[in-house]
Amino acid sequence: MTSYKIALLDGDGIGPEIMTEAVKVLELVGERNEINFELIHGSFGANAYFEQGHAFPEQTKALCDEADAILKGPIGLSHEESKKIPLDMQPERGALLPLRRRYNTFANFRPVFLPKGLAHFSPLKPSIIGAGIDFIIIRELVGGLYFGAKHTGVNEQGKRFVNESLEYDEEQIARIARVAFETSMKRKKVLHNIHKSNVLQSSVLWNEVLGEISQEFPEVEVRHILVDAAATYLCLNPGQFDVMVMENMFGDILSDQAGGILGSLGLMPSACIGPEKAYYEPSHGSAPDIAGQSIANPYSMIGSVAMMLEMSFSMEKEAKNCWHAMQSVFSQGYSTPDLSQPGAEVKMIDTQSFGDLVVSELAQLAC
Ligand code: IPM
Ligand code: MG
């Protein structure tokens, strides 16, 4: 019997609730494919800091080191609560960025897909949505401003200043460009390169290296687009995009905007892939305001499981089944309070019931 060890980092806020639903899916998939998914929980984030004094405790690091893949829930606290934790131990700086750095997870895949049954939920007009929204953002995840040198101080005029640098070398750009081209080859062979080369030197090098890598993929059409223009087109004509590639900070911002055109970041799962290890996470935050109320939709967490099945365990069929099962549940008119609008005719259910329905849909699909 094949056995895979999966580290489950529940995270903060709604993390544990949506993780429970993702686990149900993993259990069914394991059972019916005769795979032993060894699921081990580890603490991570603000809860880990309060319980163990560290946002990414040694024990969790050891668990992740041994795991075949990591499934991570959202982390973070409200702005007020965050202040109770020293800056370097706040979950973003103390846990998430160290996780990305530890496993060098440079390739972040963020699919932007509007399930058919949720078309009413997008803030875009039907005429703009057209045939649907279906593209993927490939975000470089371990370079740029996030990981560049940082320096604060007081200058000669006695003024406080800060200096943070946006750093990339050609190898970092080349490897994410290759991932983007390879992804394009599996889709429509149109790649939008997002940059700001009219101002930033980093984008000049980015475009240069991407141009060199494009020689290896002559079938892919590259379209260059400035990041600010891309933000506009995400609202005006998202249908033109298929694969978009960009550096870390641009990717952070545009992927939230992409969640916005779907109607919610709750529809944004993701995969973070490194040379040896991958972890999977919803792109959204921990939503402390709705935590514990069983109203959060587990879509992004189950979507992250689907990405794990495909990308870490080559279980393409089951991955597709997970997407399909979630779409069916929406298409039957079910949704959770966080993914519904006042006035919409929705059969309102809670987090657990949504997870249960996904599992029963999945059980009916051949593996
Ligand atoms: C994301 C998040 C993180 C990021 C935060 C939590 C540090 O916004 O994954 O998009 O900025 O990368
Ligand atoms: Mg973000």
Side-chain angles (χ1 to χ4, degrees):
M1 194 175 193
T2 313
S3 197
Y4 294 124
K5 186 180 274 191
I6 303 178
L8 303 176
L9 313 181
D10 293 27
D12 302 317
I14 58 170
E17 295 163 55
I18 57 176
M19 180 65 85
T20 304
E21 304 315 308
V23 165
K24 290 180 190 166
V25 169
L26 271 173
E27 280 171 350
L28 171 64
V29 171
E31 225 171 80
R32 69 185 195 159
N33 289 278
E34 292 183 16
I35 291 176
N36 173 31
F37 286 126
E38 201 186 330
L39 307 175
I40 308 173
H41 292 265
S43 14
F44 189 78
N47 66 87
Y49 174 77
F50 290 128
E51 282 160 22
Q52 302 185 28
H54 202 293
F56 190 5
E58 286 307 317
Q59 210 182 339
T60 305
K61 285 183 185 146
L63 165 66
C64 293
D65 286 350
E66 279 180 18
D68 294 299
I70 301 163
L71 184 63
K72 177 200 147 285
I75 46 122
L77 296 173
S78 66
H79 188 67
E80 276 314 303
E81 287 292 304
S82 284
K83 291 185 192 152
K84 297 182 183 158
I85 305 183
L87 210 61
D88 63 339
M89 269 302 128
Q90 287 176 1
E92 296 81 359
R93 284 192 190 81
L96 183 57
L97 297 185
L99 175 72
R100 289 176 182 172
R101 192 196 302 261
R102 187 174 186 87
Y103 301 118
N104 200 5
T105 54
F106 69 95
N108 181 205
F109 294 73
R110 297 194 157 176
V112 185
F113 176 70
L114 183 63
K116 278 207 177 63
L118 272 192
H120 66 279
F121 193 59
S122 165
L124 301 186
K125 290 182 207 149
S127 59
I128 289 182
I129 295 174
I133 300 176
D134 182 6
F135 61 93
I136 184 161
I137 290 180
I138 307 239
R139 168 188 179 193
E140 200 292 327
L141 200 59
V142 294
L145 278 170
Y146 277 60
F147 292 92
K150 297 176 196 304
H151 181 55
T152 54
V154 177
N155 67 17
E156 283 157 13
Q157 290 87 44
K159 307 243 189 273
R160 286 169 295 164
F161 76 94
V162 58
N163 189 338
E164 353 204 43
S165 48
L166 200 171
E167 295 174 17
Y168 276 108
D169 67 26
E170 59 179 304
E171 200 183 317
Q172 283 176 301
I173 301 168
R175 66 181 181 175
I176 191 71
R178 266 197 196 94
V179 167
F181 279 105
E182 281 158 7
T183 308
S184 281
M185 284 300 290
K186 293 186 208 147
R187 295 180 53 118
K188 295 185 181 158
K189 300 184 182 163
V190 176
L191 174 62
H192 277 89
N193 173 44
I194 311 302
H195 66 96
K196 186 73 185 173
S197 69
N198 53 351
V199 175
L200 300 179
Q201 203 57 36
S202 53
S203 284
V204 173
L205 179 65
W206 177 279
N207 292 356
E208 216 172 276
V209 176
L210 188 122
E212 289 156 16
I213 302 300
S214 74
Q215 309 293 314
E216 298 168 22
F217 301 89
E219 284 177 57
V220 177
E221 182 194 338
V222 182
R223 298 186 190 158
H224 298 278
I225 177 166
L226 290 164
V227 61
D228 45 354
T232 309
Y233 287 122
L234 276 175
C235 298
L236 296 184
N237 180 13
Q240 71 185 286
F241 298 117
D242 186 53
V243 179
M244 302 172 85
V245 63
M246 61 202 82
E247 66 88 36
N248 203 346
M249 186 84 207
F250 295 167
D252 180 44
I253 298 168
L254 287 194
S255 61
D256 265 35
Q257 192 186 343
I261 66 170
L262 298 179
S264 170
L265 280 176
L267 293 170
M268 294 281 292
S270 82
C272 310
I273 313 283
E276 269 138 41
K277 184 92 69 185
Y279 84 91
Y280 300 84
E281 64 175 356
S283 302
H284 57 74
S286 62
D289 52 326
I290 59 164
Q293 299 173 39
S294 200
I295 60 177
N297 198 287
Y299 181 95
S300 59
M301 203 75 206
I302 298 176
S304 299
V305 167
M307 297 184 84
M308 171 188 283
L309 293 174
E310 181 186 338
M311 300 172 93
S312 282
F313 306 131
S314 302
M315 299 177 73
E316 286 85 5
K317 184 83 198 304
E318 286 290 41
K320 278 207 181 85
N321 286 342
C322 290
W323 294 115
H324 193 86
M326 288 197 290
Q327 280 224 64
S328 302
V329 175
F330 283 129
S331 293
Q332 290 163 40
Y334 292 104
S335 195
T336 46
D338 65 328
L339 292 189
S340 54
Q341 270 159 353
E345 280 171 34
V346 167
K347 294 178 225 165
M348 200 74 82
I349 51 176
D350 64 8
T351 309
Q352 288 87 336
S353 312
F354 194 93
D356 289 341
L357 284 178
V358 171
V359 168
S360 65
E361 284 294 322
L362 186 60
Q364 289 169 44
L365 299 169
C367 61

